């Protein structure tokens, strides 16, 4: 006969094991489906580019059509690069501001701890004030 604690631990381990197996099966299935979908999208993209090249070659000639497509894709790549660089710069600035806020919070907490050691009643007031001041903000306010 197993103790109640052993039964609860065995039940917990079994549940966790079942969830891990289920999650792994879903992840494998999603990975296979993602690869198949990606291959089909890549094939469609290549066929669309070849079709566009053939249509432009029929109208303007082979060399101007290929150079036109190359210039168009180069322009598109530069636009995407600019968007990604701007987004990275914005995220870097956000991380820097978050680090600065966190450092300020740590300094305030250290000051509160110092006051708590010397004056317990004042520490209670400081703790309440810090609690309201440093309360977690909604993520929606950042965006």
């Amino acid at each position: 006969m197993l103790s109640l604690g052993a039964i609860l631990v065995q039940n917990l381990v079994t549940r966790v094991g079942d969830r891990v197996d289920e999650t792994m099966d879903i992840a494998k299935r999603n990975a296979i489906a993602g690869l198949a979908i990606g291959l089909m999208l890549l094939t469609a993209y290549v066929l669309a580019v070849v079709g566009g090249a053939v249509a432009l070659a029929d109208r303007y000639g082979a060399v101007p059509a290929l150079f036109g497509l190359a210039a168009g894709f180069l322009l598109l790549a530069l636009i995407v690069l600019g968007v990604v660089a701007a987004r990275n710069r914005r995220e870097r600035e956000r991380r820097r501001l978050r680090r600065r806020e966190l450092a300020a919070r740590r300094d305030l907490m250290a000051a509160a701890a110092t006051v708590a050691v010397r004056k317990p009643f004042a520490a209670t007031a400081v703790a309440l004030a810090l609690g309201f001041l440093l309360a977690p903000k909604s993520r929606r306010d950042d965006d």
Side-chain angles (χ1 to χ4, degrees):
M1 184 62 86
L2 293 174
S3 69
L4 180 60
I7 292 171
L8 289 174
V9 168
Q10 184 180 12
N11 187 12
L12 178 66
V13 169
T14 304
R15 281 184 176 177
V16 169
D18 289 346
R19 289 288 296 169
V20 168
D21 291 341
E22 180 182 327
T23 303
M24 289 301 295
D25 289 342
I26 291 171
K28 287 178 190 175
R29 194 173 334 125
N30 287 344
I32 292 170
L35 287 174
I37 291 169
L39 180 64
M40 290 178 211
L41 287 173
L42 182 64
T43 303
Y45 171 76
V46 168
L47 290 175
V49 169
V50 169
V54 168
L56 289 174
D58 186 41
R59 174 170 249 178
Y60 299 111
V63 174
L66 291 176
F67 278 127
L69 279 175
F73 280 111
L74 179 64
L75 180 65
L76 184 62
L78 291 175
I79 290 171
V80 169
L81 179 67
V83 168
V84 168
R87 183 172 174 90
N88 287 344
R89 188 172 35 253
R90 187 177 70 192
E91 287 298 319
R92 198 169 34 249
E93 181 66 20
R94 280 185 178 175
R95 280 194 304 271
R96 188 181 62 76
L97 289 174
R98 283 187 201 129
R99 279 194 299 269
R100 185 183 299 164
E101 287 176 3
L102 189 59
R105 287 180 184 181
R106 278 194 308 259
D107 292 344
L108 284 174
M109 295 303 279
T114 303
V115 169
V117 170
R118 294 183 184 161
K119 298 178 183 178
F121 291 119
T124 304
V126 170
L128 287 173
L130 285 175
F132 287 117
L133 179 68
L134 303 176
K137 297 182 181 98
S138 173
R139 296 283 295 162
R140 293 181 191 165
D141 292 343
D142 292 342
D143 295 330

